[in-house]
Amino acid sequence: MSKKTIMLCCAAGMSTSLLVSKMKKSAETLKVDVDIFATAVSGFDQELASRQVDCVMLGPQVSYMADDFKAKLSERNIPLVVISMQDYGLMNGERVLKQALDLLN
Amino acid sequence: MTTKNLWQRFIERFTQISIKVGNQIYLRSLRDAFAMIMPLFILAGLGVLINNVFFPLFLKGSLLTNYQTFGNLIVNGTLNIAGLLIAPVVAYCLAQNRNYKNALGTAIVALAGLIVVMPTTIQALPVGTKKLVDISGFLSYSNIGVTGMFAGIIIGLFAAELFIKLSRIEKIKINLGENVPPAVSASFLTLIPTIVVIAILAIISAVLLVVFHTDLIKLITTIIQEPLRRVNTSLPGFLLIYTVGNLLFGFGIHQAVINGTLLDPVLLINTNKNMQAFAAGDHVPYIITSVFRDTFGMMGGTGSTLCLLVVTFIFSRVKASREVTKLSIVPGIFNINEPVIYGYPIVFNIPLLIPFVLTPIISLLIAYSATVLGLMNKTVVLVPWTTPPLLNGFLATGGDWRAIVVQVISFTVGVLFYIPFMKISEAVLAKQR
């Protein structure tokens, strides 16, 4: 299996970047080799065009973008989920990472 | 039971409508465009800060003027071309949101379109004189700068929308046949749409210039921009819209859906005009600006939740709340508070929704009154919204220490206001268990 990339998206890409650092830490302990990065919703198209993305996770505050993004992702068969409010608020890197890994498999 | 249903129905409807407004494609493109050019406006703030606060500390007279050339040049490349920047960028964003591949082509047409509607003759002040003269062959900073921002937005969106629509009509694509290299026929693809868009704008502009002796920039500014700006940045208009946005965040949807579309464009015009005036040493016009809102209305993020964190730290006996507070304090210092909003949680938590929505109003009213009474400078420098409280107040007001005092007072009031609601919230939580 080649290295997978997980993209997280929120309003400004700030709070998701915090979650990304937690997810990376938990990926290290779980010994899974994944790329994880955060971006703002306004950077969604650009990131998608410029690099390989295997799964997209949205912060709950931008859940309203889900349908629109899903339509854009469907042609490339990339899965998308909205992170639950609780996991997001508690910055539960491990649970969110596991959710992403489930999506990738 | 019925009241609960009513409340839930209200939340659903309110969220739906807000999302519909905020996700409207033009407004969304506008929000994306602002995100793209924001670094330049922040740079302008830095330039103004260096020019008008830092240099005067140790320079005087003509030496100061010479040094200030540095900041003036930055203002030229940022604020003075705000309209020129926003037109192609908003067109680019619209193309992306419409899933149209040739976003760069769309941006180019929008830029050309904006120049087409510029007046051919402008008034200018020759250096060293006091009488305005008519000149031709120039673009003026006032038309392509901050004042022309709405014109840039509207022309950019109009040109882009028309261009994209026309480009998608198969019939008007010039077909050169199979033997022509694909790159050659691709270059013709956008030819007719480009011609049509620019020609339409040129006709409108020419009629306005020749027959009515006015121009599109002036019309858009006086008929659309100014009324909208006056209403939305008046004290009641501003507080109402901002509160609606914050309430939306209380239901889990980011406040930018409302604020980023209805407030930010007009607040940003105010900020930029203040920066320009401050840089030029003129009278600073506006109290309510985007940076005023960020500095006094969101200490620790939307809802001034840094107050809640302090309250929890001192008074809370609930372990979970204290844990979230520990996690949230560092992001909170940089005004990022999703951990508080979703983790504490504030979302759908009625006792905490009340101070979440009202604390910013109180703080903003305190800061507004302080400014009106002359106890504090107006906000004249755009600082990034992630700048920590106290420091942001000091920088935003062009280095006025009294702004820090106002922030400390607002913060203390916020803390006191959050206390009872935090206690109610914990009591409700204890009962539910």
Side-chain angles (χ1 to χ4, degrees):
Chain A
M1 194 175 96
S2 63
K3 195 171 179 175
K4 299 284 186 183
T5 304
I6 305 164
M7 170 160 110
L8 270 70
C9 233
C10 71
M14 298 282 180
S15 58
T16 37
S17 69
L18 182 63
L19 185 56
V20 163
S21 61
K22 303 253 175 194
M23 288 169 75
K24 278 185 174 163
K25 225 178 249 168
S26 119
E28 245 170 61
T29 24
L30 292 172
K31 295 203 165 62
V32 263
D33 193 21
V34 282
D35 254 339
I36 314 169
F37 73 96
T39 184
V41 281
S42 59
F44 176 84
D45 291 297
Q46 218 171 347
E47 291 291 350
L48 209 61
S50 65
R51 59 164 129 185
Q52 172 70 32
V53 173
D54 298 292
C55 119
V56 178
M57 309 188 88
L58 290 188
Q61 71 274 46
V62 292
S63 57
Y64 59 91
M65 296 297 290
D67 289 340
D68 192 73
F69 283 178
K70 265 184 195 161
K72 285 183 177 177
L73 292 168
S74 65
E75 45 187 286
R76 289 168 58 176
N77 248 335
I78 302 171
L80 175 145
V81 283
V82 178
I83 302 165
S84 84
M85 287 189 184
Q86 202 180 9
D87 287 345
Y88 199 81
L90 300 175
M91 292 281 142
N92 194 331
E94 194 185 324
R95 288 229 346 213
V96 178
L97 177 70
K98 281 184 177 157
Q99 197 183 2
L101 295 176
D102 281 346
L103 277 179
L104 289 170
N105 289 327
Chain B
M1 200 62 204
T2 41
T3 49
K4 196 170 185 194
N5 282 340
L6 211 67
W7 173 242
Q8 266 168 354
R9 278 218 333 253
F10 163 73
I11 293 178
E12 261 169 42
R13 288 290 295 161
F14 174 71
T15 326
Q16 268 173 1
I17 293 169
S18 306
I19 289 173
K20 223 175 211 166
V21 172
N23 231 8
Q24 200 279 337
I25 195 154
Y26 299 132
L27 297 177
R28 202 169 97 206
S29 306
L30 183 59
R31 214 160 55 221
D32 293 348
F34 274 130
M36 248 187 222
I37 57 174
M38 196 48 85
L40 285 173
F41 293 145
I42 289 170
L43 170 68
L46 191 68
V48 170
L49 210 54
I50 290 172
N51 250 21
N52 300 66
V53 180
F54 181 65
F55 283 156
L57 289 179
F58 54 92
L59 293 168
K60 268 195 202 113
S62 64
L63 197 61
L64 177 63
T65 317
N66 286 345
Y67 270 85
Q68 283 179 330
T69 308
F70 168 74
N72 293 340
L73 293 175
I74 288 180
V75 170
N76 281 352
T78 52
L79 298 179
N80 283 344
I81 56 162
L84 197 63
L85 285 168
I86 195 82
V89 175
V90 79
Y92 182 91
C93 294
L94 181 67
Q96 281 203 321
N97 286 332
R98 283 243 184 264
N99 257 335
Y100 178 66
K101 292 275 180 277
N102 190 1
L104 187 59
T106 315
I108 292 169
V109 173
L111 180 58
L114 181 66
I115 301 298
V116 162
V117 302
M118 290 288 162
T120 48
T121 311
I122 53 169
Q123 291 198 308
L125 206 60
V127 177
T129 64
K130 283 186 177 166
K131 198 167 170 275
L132 285 168
V133 293
D134 286 345
I135 56 168
S136 64
F138 294 89
L139 292 173
S140 81
Y141 281 146
S142 78
N143 283 335
I144 62 172
V146 176
T147 313
M149 259 171 86
F150 257 65
I153 291 165
I154 289 169
I155 304 293
L157 285 174
F158 172 79
E161 186 70 339
L162 193 60
F163 179 75
I164 295 167
K165 281 238 160 76
L166 292 171
S167 302
R168 282 183 168 160
I169 302 172
E170 290 296 325
K171 274 185 198 157
I172 59 166
K173 279 181 185 161
I174 297 176
N175 195 342
L176 298 174
E178 276 176 25
N179 293 330
V180 178
V184 174
S185 47
S187 70
F188 280 96
L189 268 185
T190 54
L191 194 57
I192 291 180
T194 306
I195 292 171
V196 173
V197 172
I198 301 297
I200 288 177
L201 285 172
I203 291 168
I204 297 172
S205 182
V207 170
L208 287 176
L209 283 174
V210 178
V211 183
F212 298 99
H213 302 290
T214 182
D215 59 84
L216 208 49
I217 307 286
K218 205 184 283 168
L219 281 182
I220 291 174
T221 308
T222 47
I223 295 173
I224 302 175
Q225 174 172 316
E226 276 312 289
L228 201 65
R229 196 192 56 74
R230 284 221 181 120
V231 172
N232 289 16
T233 70
S234 65
L235 187 62
F238 161 67
L239 287 179
L240 181 72
I241 300 171
Y242 189 49
T243 303
V244 169
N246 287 353
L247 188 61
L248 188 67
F249 215 163
F251 301 144
I253 303 294
H254 202 279
Q255 44 87 6
V257 171
I258 292 289
N259 294 332
T261 45
L262 298 181
L263 270 185
D264 286 0
V266 277
L267 284 180
L268 197 62
I269 289 177
N270 283 6
T271 307
N272 286 348
K273 284 201 171 167
N274 276 10
M275 273 205 279
Q276 247 175 352
F278 184 64
D282 297 338
H283 170 74
V284 175
Y286 306 115
I287 295 176
I288 296 172
T289 67
S290 64
V291 68
F292 176 81
R293 189 253 334 255
D294 296 349
T295 308
F296 299 100
M298 45 178 285
M299 286 183 275
T302 307
S304 297
T305 51
L306 209 51
C307 301
L308 174 64
L309 296 184
V310 170
V311 171
T312 309
F313 197 69
I314 302 174
F315 296 104
S316 173
R317 294 204 189 113
V318 178
K319 194 167 168 250
S321 303
R322 297 187 72 93
E323 290 292 320
V324 175
T325 301
K326 262 189 231 158
L327 173 77
S328 310
I329 198 89
V330 176
I333 288 170
F334 297 94
N335 305 316
I336 292 162
N337 65 342
E338 273 83 356
V340 192
I341 292 176
Y342 295 111
Y344 198 95
I346 288 171
V347 278
F348 302 112
N349 182 353
I350 297 167
L352 283 180
L353 274 180
I354 297 165
F356 181 77
V357 168
L358 294 182
T359 310
I361 299 183
I362 299 171
S363 312
L364 287 166
L365 283 174
I366 292 173
Y368 186 89
S369 314
T371 321
V372 170
L373 294 173
L375 301 174
M376 174 182 90
N377 287 350
K378 288 172 184 159
T379 48
V380 288
V381 172
L382 179 59
V383 289
W385 61 268
T386 44
T387 311
L390 306 188
L391 179 63
N392 62 6
F394 180 71
L395 294 178
T397 49
D400 184 1
W401 61 268
R402 296 172 303 174
I404 300 178
V405 177
V406 172
Q407 277 191 306
V408 170
I409 293 170
S410 305
F411 190 81
T412 314
V413 173
V415 167
L416 295 175
F417 191 63
Y418 258 107
I419 293 173
F421 295 102
M422 196 274 305
K423 291 198 163 162
I424 296 170
S425 167
E426 292 203 336
V428 171
L429 203 74
K431 244 185 203 169
Q432 280 170 353
R433 274 192 187 143

